[in-house]
Amino acid sequence: MADLNQLYDAILNGDHKTAVTVTRQALTEGTAPIELITNYMSPAMDEVGRRFECEEYFVPELLLSGRAMKAALALLQPLLAASGAEPAGRIVIGTVKGDLHDIGKNLVASMLEGGGFEVHDLGADVAPEKFVGAVREHKPDLVCLSALLTVTMPGMRDVVEALKMAGLRDQVRVMVGGAPVTAEFANEIGADGYAENAGVAVTVARRLTRKNHAMDEAKG
Amino acid sequence: MSTGPYNQARQAVRDALAHRKPSHVPIDFGSTAVTGIHVSVVAALREYYGLEIRPVKICEPYQMLGLIEDDLAKAINIDTKAVFTPKTIFGFPLENWKPWQMPDGLEVLVPGDFNTTVDSNGDFLIYPQGDTSVPASGRMPKGGYFFDAIVRQPPINEEQLNWEDNTEEFQPISNQDLLAMRVAVDQASTTGRALVLSLPNMYLGDIALVPAPFLKHPKGIRDIAEWYMSLRARPDYIHKIFERETAVALTNLEKIHAAIGNNVEAVFTCGTDFGTQTSSFCSVQTFRTLWLPYYKAMNDWIHQHTTWRVLKHSCGAVEKFIDSFIEAGFDILNPVQCSATGMDPKLLKAKYGDRITFWGGGVDTQKTLPFGTPQEVHDQVLHRCEIFSRQGGFVFTTIHNVQARTPLKNFVALLDAVREFNGATNGRPEPTL
Ligand code: B12
């Protein structure tokens, strides 16, 4: 029998090889993918986020855990797709136009994946039209924007406006973040959410994508 | 040349670095690649101060910083003078100037080997050592203001990883480069300003240089995420690289010192960022085991053999690291990002002000300078000068490079505020234009 606590530990310790071995074994033994995610992988990533917030973990550890989680998840994805299981939500994420800082965005993306979201990462220096195109293609619940430069922060407003112009704004929520971004700024540009770090981003994303909530509920 | 306020410039920086009260708070713009001004702002300043209108030279082609020539330096009271590394981040020297046009139409001058092509996206691509026959190593997005490194990381084969692949850039300095440095130092000395010499390859893992935009075919770990993971997952590999980098640096330091002597006030050796907005890239403990011994070896050599002061650049929330930076032998901290967690100016000055020089912190560049009013800029600059300048240990500059699109009136308000502060304390004369 696969010791599933090893999966939790492997993700927490950023050991992608063990994460893959244990997941593979668990699958051959017939463990349901969803059980692996909910009981082991997501809790491990939650713990990673907690350690990051209290400065026990730093960027390297987060990247390693994210990689371990993704490697295990890659084995589960075909099975999940085949079974028609729905992710916690669909997300499109990217760093806005003109900005090439992507370390923070990558951490947020992998924490969201760890939190059970389906994440489409558009990379860095992403123009508003590309976000619009990706929203049409992937029909996400949430669009996540990252900016690290004050010169590129206005690009977040451009994305919100482009979504409006394309008639898509009321079909998605928008969450923003990155070093210079504040909750105040998020409000000002008409975004629906803000998070100051990757751990909190998952909590806010869960709140913003809660399925039963009508999209026209009060913003916040 | 060294008339008027200028005869005080070099001395003011020397005093500030020695933690003696200088005749005035010295100002730096343009002495390093982390205290520069974007070319568009340099062009605007030239116009504002009524200087000859001519295309500005790009002295740092990655961030597209504009060269601050002596006429502008004089107009805005700059006390420092740059001596750049012999080669830029894209591996070519600053020579054979030719015209180039920024995406917004601004005409500038770039080095002869600054060769670009335009891709299908409309982005500019730039090439290592100017060689357009190899893959591009930098990209300026369409409508952008600066380049970013293109990661050219071949897939990693764990079994075949060889740390020496990551050390191709650490080579003995050539006689040609030594000569160029010597000529540059001699020329810069005539300005009467304090010289800041940028030294190559002593940084230990600066994330901007990990992709090696200057190498034609970089090998080893050249991807940013992979590098960060390696700090944790492959510490032995990293130690080997740092050992080699340090060994080469020590022999180069000896040659450089033999060539230029004690003719520079400060050297800029390391821009490796340890801070983020609210935290850091590693723990202080990791810094102490993975970096400190190597930095210390280089800085100890410098202190034992030269009068140079060593400048450490690290953005972000690094308050907890400052004691270790000092222990590693750094004399100067830049950019003193006061907007990051724990970087309160008063606390920094009280706790570390007599042991390290703050070279930066002059104004917040995340909010105040780009978005504030001229009055807000003015007030903050005066306030920061008051806090940081007591008993020397302070060179005024903004927190990191002055970015494109910085409102000119705000930058002028900043300069006027420093002038006001200096005038108020010692009656330093207005510059003669
Ligand atoms: C590392 C770094 C770089 C690297 C980037 C490598 C890369 N591929 O990303 C390099 C060296 C290349 C670089 C270059 C530049 N940089 Co830089 N860089 C930094 C630095 C030191 C850390 C950023 C970082 O990666 N942090 C680590 C991550 C984990 O944190 P984070 O990004 O903040 O993300 C967290 C949260 O913000 C949040 N988050 C992030 N995105 C999102 C998105 C959503 C939706 C949510 C909910 C949350 C969220 O969660 C993340 C994890 O907790 C900062 C300093 C700082 N104070 O932040 C400067 C900084 C951002 N850089 C700055 C500048 C100016 C530049 C340059 C323009 C060069 C220059 N100095 O002139 C270039 C241009 C780069 C470009 N072309 O875009 C300035 C910006 C100042 C300003 N006025 O805006 C800063 C603040 C430095 C300073 N002291 O002034 N940089």
Side-chain angles (χ1 to χ4, degrees):
Chain A
M1 272 293 282
D3 177 0
L4 295 180
N5 289 321
Q6 275 186 13
L7 176 58
Y8 176 91
D9 289 343
I11 289 177
L12 189 58
N13 300 326
D15 173 357
H16 70 282
K17 284 185 189 140
T18 306
V20 166
T21 319
V22 180
T23 305
R24 205 169 268 144
Q25 200 190 338
L27 290 178
T28 34
E29 286 165 5
T31 315
I34 199 73
E35 193 198 323
L36 294 178
I37 295 179
T38 5
N39 295 342
Y40 300 95
M41 294 166 65
S42 283
M45 285 306 278
D46 285 345
E47 176 62 10
V48 169
R50 193 196 65 76
R51 291 189 183 186
F52 183 63
E53 268 172 64
C54 63
E55 302 199 336
E56 276 170 52
Y57 271 16
F58 297 89
V59 171
E61 290 81 5
L62 239 68
L63 289 169
L64 284 164
S65 291
R67 184 172 66 174
M69 191 272 311
K70 263 186 222 164
L73 207 58
L75 300 174
L76 307 184
Q77 250 142 12
L79 302 169
L80 288 170
S83 73
E86 279 291 311
R90 273 190 194 85
I91 292 180
V92 159
I93 189 169
T95 302
V96 297
K97 176 122 193 77
D99 202 326
L100 298 134
H101 289 84
D102 61 2
I103 301 168
K105 183 265 299 164
N106 293 347
L107 294 187
V108 172
S110 79
M111 288 300 291
L112 288 169
E113 272 189 75
F117 290 92
E118 178 185 309
V119 178
H120 300 273
D121 186 348
L122 308 183
D125 181 33
V126 181
E129 314 84 79
K130 276 204 197 149
F131 279 106
V132 168
V135 168
R136 289 216 170 92
E137 185 186 342
H138 303 296
K139 309 218 171 350
D141 307 289
L142 183 63
V143 173
C144 290
L145 309 174
S146 180
L148 267 281
L149 296 170
T150 42
V151 283
T152 57
M153 273 166 66
M156 295 183 147
R157 189 195 302 268
D158 297 345
V159 177
V160 174
E161 293 305 317
L163 289 171
K164 271 190 202 154
M165 292 287 283
L168 296 167
R169 182 63 186 93
D170 50 1
Q171 293 168 36
V172 286
R173 295 259 158 139
V174 176
M175 173 161 74
V176 296
V181 179
T182 58
E184 209 183 346
F185 177 79
N187 237 337
E188 202 184 297
I189 63 165
D192 306 295
Y194 157 80
E196 66 269 23
N197 65 43
V200 180
V202 179
T203 317
V204 177
R206 284 188 182 138
R207 177 162 59 74
L208 290 175
T209 56
R210 233 178 279 147
K211 284 286 149 86
N212 301 332
H213 278 213
M215 286 307 265
D216 58 3
E217 122 199 65
K219 286 195 171 176
Chain B
M1 290 220 90
S2 354
T3 53
Y6 272 126
N7 48 17
Q8 304 169 7
R10 198 163 198 175
Q11 192 55 43
V13 175
R14 285 184 181 165
D15 287 341
L17 294 176
H19 298 268
R20 288 188 298 261
K21 194 170 168 35
S23 59
H24 61 276
V25 168
I27 305 178
D28 172 33
F29 281 108
S31 82
T32 69
V34 287
T35 60
I37 303 181
H38 190 266
V39 64
S40 56
V41 181
V42 174
L45 283 169
R46 292 192 65 84
E47 194 178 334
Y48 180 85
Y49 286 101
L51 305 173
E52 187 195 329
I53 301 297
R54 53 175 186 244
V56 176
K57 285 178 178 163
I58 299 290
C59 60
E60 203 289 293
Y62 176 66
Q63 306 169 91
M64 298 301 273
L65 304 179
L67 185 69
I68 298 177
E69 295 191 49
D70 293 342
D71 55 351
L72 179 59
K74 195 166 181 184
I76 64 178
N77 275 336
I78 290 175
D79 296 281
T80 55
K81 173 82 183 168
V83 182
F84 296 112
T85 48
K87 301 228 170 48
T88 66
I89 186 168
F90 292 114
F92 48 71
L94 290 170
E95 61 188 27
N96 304 328
W97 300 92
K98 64 183 185 188
W100 197 75
Q101 202 179 41
M102 293 287 289
D104 66 1
L106 180 72
E107 296 283 353
V108 299
L109 289 178
V110 296
D113 286 334
F114 184 110
N115 294 329
T116 54
T117 57
V118 179
D119 75 359
S120 55
N121 232 346
D123 299 351
F124 280 109
L125 301 177
I126 192 167
Y127 296 83
Q129 301 161 43
D131 185 349
T132 52
S133 73
V134 299
S137 62
R139 170 195 308 278
M140 181 187 294
K142 188 178 167 189
Y145 298 96
F146 35 66
F147 286 92
D148 193 52
I150 296 177
V151 171
R152 295 156 295 159
Q153 167 84 72
I156 285 181
N157 180 341
E158 197 71 48
E159 280 68 49
Q160 281 171 15
L161 266 182
N162 175 359
W163 62 271
E164 287 189 306
D165 287 342
N166 264 93
T167 63
E168 185 184 338
E169 52 268 59
F170 310 131
Q171 298 295 337
I173 189 162
S174 69
N175 287 337
Q176 197 190 352
D177 285 352
L178 282 171
L179 188 68
M181 261 188 192
R182 186 192 186 130
V183 171
V185 168
D186 286 348
Q187 267 173 11
S189 292
T190 64
T191 61
R193 288 183 264 148
L195 306 196
V196 184
L197 170 70
S198 295
L199 291 174
N201 297 336
M202 302 183 185
Y203 45 79
L204 308 178
D206 182 341
I207 206 64
L209 303 175
V210 163
F214 37 84
L215 292 181
K216 293 187 184 182
H217 300 286
K219 299 188 292 290
I221 295 168
R222 301 295 183 173
D223 171 78
I224 290 170
E226 196 64 50
W227 177 267
Y228 278 125
M229 288 192 278
S230 302
L231 297 175
R232 173 69 194 230
R234 309 177 178 103
D236 295 344
Y237 184 97
I238 304 290
H239 273 293
K240 288 283 187 210
I241 300 170
F242 288 178
E243 261 167 40
R244 167 71 62 84
E245 184 170 356
T246 306
V248 177
L250 289 173
T251 58
N252 283 344
L253 280 168
E254 208 172 319
K255 292 185 197 163
I256 293 166
H257 185 241
I260 65 160
N262 283 335
N263 269 329
V264 302
E265 274 55 49
V267 290
F268 169 37
T269 57
C270 168
T272 306
D273 283 318
F274 290 96
T276 72
Q277 190 70 23
T278 54
S279 175
S280 50
F281 279 100
C282 66
S283 66
V284 174
Q285 193 44 48
T286 303
F287 174 80
R288 295 184 63 83
T289 48
L290 197 48
W291 278 274
L292 191 143
Y294 305 104
Y295 283 142
K296 188 161 165 26
M298 292 186 264
N299 293 337
D300 281 353
W301 191 94
I302 292 174
H303 294 314
Q304 281 156 19
H305 299 89
T306 80
T307 57
W308 311 338
R309 311 273 175 166
V310 191
L311 183 150
K312 166 85 191 94
H313 165 93
S314 172
C315 290
V318 290
E319 191 270 324
K320 289 184 298 233
F321 289 69
I322 297 178
D323 273 325
S324 300
F325 289 162
I326 294 170
E327 190 181 327
F330 290 111
D331 306 287
I332 305 168
L333 181 65
N334 164 271
V336 199
Q337 195 189 334
C338 302
S339 57
T341 303
M343 298 289 286
D344 174 59
K346 281 198 182 124
L347 175 139
L348 292 178
K349 185 70 180 176
K351 212 164 157 188
Y352 310 101
D354 55 345
R355 291 180 289 149
I356 199 160
T357 292
F358 296 112
W359 192 298
V363 75
D364 168 74
T365 42
Q366 287 184 303
K367 267 200 192 133
T368 317
L369 190 64
F371 301 127
T373 62
Q375 187 64 44
E376 284 164 352
V377 172
H378 169 269
D379 295 351
Q380 192 181 79
V381 167
L382 284 187
H383 190 56
R384 295 281 169 88
C385 284
E386 264 154 36
I387 296 170
F388 281 125
S389 72
R390 225 161 285 155
Q391 286 310 309
F394 179 50
V395 173
F396 181 93
T397 191
T398 47
I399 296 168
H400 220 313
N401 299 322
V402 176
Q403 299 297 306
R405 285 160 74 171
T406 298
L408 190 66
K409 58 184 191 319
N410 283 4
F411 193 68
V412 170
L414 166 153
L415 294 170
D416 289 345
V418 189
R419 195 173 292 159
E420 182 185 324
F421 184 81
N422 280 335
T425 53
N426 68 1
R428 194 176 187 219
E430 285 288 299
T432 37
L433 294 179

